């Protein structure tokens, strides 16, 4: 894939470590910009993402419709007429319908609101793709580290099985204890196969988003992200999902105005000039004609009712989006704070000293101070704790990405503030 060939994974790790060690946000993204290689890689990811391409195409279509809406509503018509009979007639005329009720202006307002909605949708796609990529990366790192820990467990169980066979020969342990060692090795092999499958699934998820599943993944940065209090979320009205909802509402309300003005008929003015010849007499003629449609068969009221219903739906949708955005922001903040506090506590405890405990347990077992079953139970508990610690760190980083996305800060955190997201 393009990312790891254009910029090494180490650039990602350096970027994340530099970011979390920078000064906390003061309402704006950090002043320290990300490495240019990372910016280029993410822009390449966005440019190759089908979802972003769809959003970009829809934005271009909306901009084209806005340019079309700014054009005059009616084109002039030209008429030429000739008649040879008792009276010879030669006339030419032109006609033009006049936009007296502001139909063009109403269409322009509607199309401008659509452009705003498509711009917000484009920003949302970029944010979501970035969040998906970062979370998939954290998940792939977790799966790799869990698989590596599983390989260490498999090596320990293999060594334990060999030692148990040797001790059985000299009569230090019973046959049942020897069988326990063999069962533990078989269980470790089964669990390692499961971990390998999980690693393959996480790499496939990363490849789906756009990451390089074949490259070497760096570990998670040793420094945790900053606390949630250091991030100042954007105001609700400035978040991409609310911008899109508000633009959709504005577009629907403008559609009501368009429907109201469309039912008002515009007059068509025609101007005709020419000559009429009868026998030896020839006269010049000038005529003017005004035609106005009569809205009897189709009054346009149904279109207005439909547009008003769309506006009501857009208003309700914006309110629902506001409630959902605020709820997601609060939920992600609480989740991230809880996971980060738990990770800090885990790091400060002895729960993550797996290798040290494994060596101590083996020495105690070989010295006969603990039995085989006790050794296996304690080793399994130590391994489960170590695996849980890895999962906790990965979940903390994923919660950090979710919180930044909910706060409207993820794109700024990655790429810095952008004045023109359509570029």
């Amino acid at each position: 894939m393009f990312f790891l060939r254009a910029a090494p994974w180490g650039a990602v790790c350096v970027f994340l470590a530099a970011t979390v060690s920078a000064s906390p946000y003061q309402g704006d993204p950090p002043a320290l910009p990300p490495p240019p290689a990372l910016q280029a890689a993410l822009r390449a990811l966005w440019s190759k993402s089908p979802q972003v391409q769809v959003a970009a195409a829809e934005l271009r279509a909306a901009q084209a419709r806005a340019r079309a809406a700014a054009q005059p509503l009616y084109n002039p018509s030209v008429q030429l007429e000739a008649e040879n009979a008792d009276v010879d007639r030669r006339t030419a005329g032109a006609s033009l319908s006049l936009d007296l009720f502001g139909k063009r202006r109403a269409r322009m307002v509607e199309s401008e609101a659509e452009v705003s909605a498509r711009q917000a949708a484009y920003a949302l796609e970029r944010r979501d793709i970035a969040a998906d990529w970062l979370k998939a990366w954290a998940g792939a790192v977790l799966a790799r580290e869990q698989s590596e820990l599983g390989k260490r467990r498999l090596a320990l169980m293999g060594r334990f099985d060999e030692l148990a066979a040797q001790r059985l020969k000299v009569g230090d342990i019973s046959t049942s204890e020897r069988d326990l060692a063999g069962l533990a090795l078989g269980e470790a092999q089964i669990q390692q196969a499961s971990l390998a499958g999980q690693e393959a699934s996480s790499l496939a998820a990363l490849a789906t988003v756009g990451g390089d599943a074949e490259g070497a993944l760096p570990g998670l940065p040793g420094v945790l992200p900053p606390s949630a209090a250091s991030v100042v979320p954007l105001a609700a009205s400035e978040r991409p999902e609310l911008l899109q909802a508000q633009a959709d509402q504005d577009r629907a309300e403008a559609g009501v105005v368009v429907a109201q003005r469309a039912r008002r008929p515009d007059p068509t003015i025609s101007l005709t000039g020419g000559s009429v010849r009868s026998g030896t007499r020839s006269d010049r003629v000038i005529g003017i004609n005004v035609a106005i449609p009569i809205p009897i068969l189709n009054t346009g009221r149904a279109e207005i009712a439909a547009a008003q219903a769309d506006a009501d739906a857009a208003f309700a949708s914006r309110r629902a989006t506001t409630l959902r955005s605020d709820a997601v922001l609060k939920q992600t903040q609480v989740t991230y704070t809880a996971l980060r506090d738990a990770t800090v506590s885990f790091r400060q405890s002895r729960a993550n000293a797996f290798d040290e405990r494994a060596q101590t347990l083996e020495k105690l077992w070989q010295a006969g101070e603990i039995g085989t079953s006790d050794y296996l139970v304690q080793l399994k508990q130590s391994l489960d704790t170590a695996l849980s610690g890895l999962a906790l760190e990965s979940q903390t980083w994923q919660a950090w990405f979710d919180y930044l996305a909910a706060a409207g800060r993820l794109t700024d955190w990655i790429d810095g503030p952008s004045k023109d997201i359509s570029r």
Side-chain angles (χ1 to χ4, degrees):
M1 297 298 290
F2 56 87
F3 178 76
L4 292 180
R5 293 175 183 171
W9 274 102
V12 182
C13 189
V14 172
F15 160 70
L16 291 174
T19 302
V20 297
S21 61
S23 59
Y25 299 168
Q26 300 296 331
D28 292 321
L32 182 64
L38 179 60
Q39 288 182 329
L42 285 173
R43 289 185 181 125
L45 173 65
W46 283 326
S47 67
K48 293 185 179 181
S49 169
Q51 296 92 329
V52 176
Q53 290 175 354
V54 169
E58 291 177 345
L59 175 57
R60 293 195 303 271
Q63 291 170 339
R65 284 191 289 268
R67 293 193 298 269
Q71 301 298 318
L73 195 61
Y74 301 112
N75 284 314
S77 299
V78 177
Q79 297 177 343
L80 299 176
E81 184 178 355
E83 180 181 1
N84 291 328
D86 295 340
V87 177
D88 296 334
R89 182 186 299 273
R90 303 289 187 271
T91 59
S95 62
L96 178 65
S97 297
L98 303 179
D99 181 12
L100 299 182
F101 302 103
K103 294 182 175 65
R104 175 186 175 188
R105 179 59 186 168
R107 291 174 56 191
M108 290 175 60
V109 172
E110 182 183 29
S111 61
E112 289 170 359
E114 182 183 3
V115 170
S116 299
R118 292 307 96 203
Q119 286 176 335
Y122 181 71
L124 275 173
E125 286 297 342
R126 294 174 81 245
R127 183 200 71 180
D128 292 343
I129 287 297
D132 291 343
W133 181 82
L134 289 169
K135 292 173 65 176
W137 164 71
V141 171
L142 167 65
R144 184 201 63 182
E145 293 181 349
Q146 287 182 331
S147 181
E148 291 295 329
L149 188 58
K151 291 177 182 178
R152 288 151 60 189
R153 170 182 57 186
L154 189 59
L156 284 174
M157 291 298 99
R159 173 179 169 80
F160 177 66
D161 183 67
E162 293 176 359
L163 291 176
Q166 295 174 5
R167 296 187 64 180
L168 177 64
K169 291 180 181 180
V170 298
D172 288 344
I173 62 173
S174 64
T175 303
S176 61
E177 290 179 308
R178 170 66 183 90
D179 292 340
L180 280 177
L183 291 174
L185 176 60
E187 182 182 10
Q189 292 171 340
I190 295 173
Q191 292 176 343
Q192 183 59 28
S194 177
L195 290 176
Q198 294 176 11
E199 183 179 9
S201 298
S202 64
L203 291 175
L206 181 62
T208 300
V209 177
D212 190 349
E214 299 179 358
L217 299 177
L220 292 172
V223 181
L224 290 176
S227 64
S230 65
V231 178
V232 179
L234 289 177
S237 59
E238 298 178 2
R239 298 171 203 159
E241 58 269 23
L242 268 299
L243 290 174
Q244 183 181 19
Q246 183 62 57
D248 287 337
Q249 180 182 344
D250 294 342
R251 180 179 56 182
E253 292 175 349
V256 176
V257 179
V258 170
Q260 290 173 343
R261 296 184 181 181
R263 71 185 297 264
R264 300 177 183 178
D266 289 325
T268 300
I269 298 179
S270 303
L271 181 63
T272 305
S275 62
V276 176
R277 182 177 181 180
S278 179
T280 59
R281 183 177 176 179
S282 179
D283 298 320
R284 294 186 177 275
V285 295
I286 298 177
I288 186 171
N289 180 61
V290 177
I292 301 178
I294 302 176
I296 296 178
L297 300 180
N298 183 6
T299 62
R301 292 179 179 176
E303 287 81 355
I304 295 176
Q308 186 61 59
D310 289 337
D312 294 340
F315 175 75
S317 178
R318 182 187 62 79
R319 291 181 58 198
T321 302
T322 301
L323 295 174
R324 182 168 57 252
S325 178
D326 291 340
V328 170
L329 176 60
K330 183 177 180 180
Q331 181 265 324
T332 54
Q333 182 180 20
V334 172
T335 301
Y336 171 65
T337 300
L339 289 173
R340 187 179 185 278
D341 292 344
T343 303
V344 172
S345 299
F346 181 82
R347 286 187 171 191
Q348 295 174 350
S349 68
R350 287 183 48 82
N352 59 347
F354 171 72
D355 291 330
E356 180 181 348
R357 286 198 306 275
Q359 294 175 2
T360 301
L361 288 173
E362 183 176 339
K363 292 178 180 179
L364 292 175
W365 176 72
Q366 291 187 11
E369 296 185 16
I370 60 173
T372 302
S373 60
D374 290 338
Y375 170 78
L376 292 175
V377 169
Q378 294 186 46
L379 183 63
K380 183 179 184 303
Q381 181 62 46
S382 298
L383 181 67
D384 291 342
T385 302
L387 291 173
S388 298
L390 294 176
L392 179 61
E393 294 228 0
S394 177
Q395 291 170 5
T396 300
W397 278 98
Q398 295 185 39
W400 165 249
F401 301 141
D402 285 336
Y403 175 56
L404 285 180
R409 292 295 191 183
L410 182 61
T411 304
D412 290 343
W413 183 72
I414 294 172
D415 205 20
S418 177
K419 296 180 180 180
D420 184 6
I421 64 172
S422 65
R423 290 182 298 177

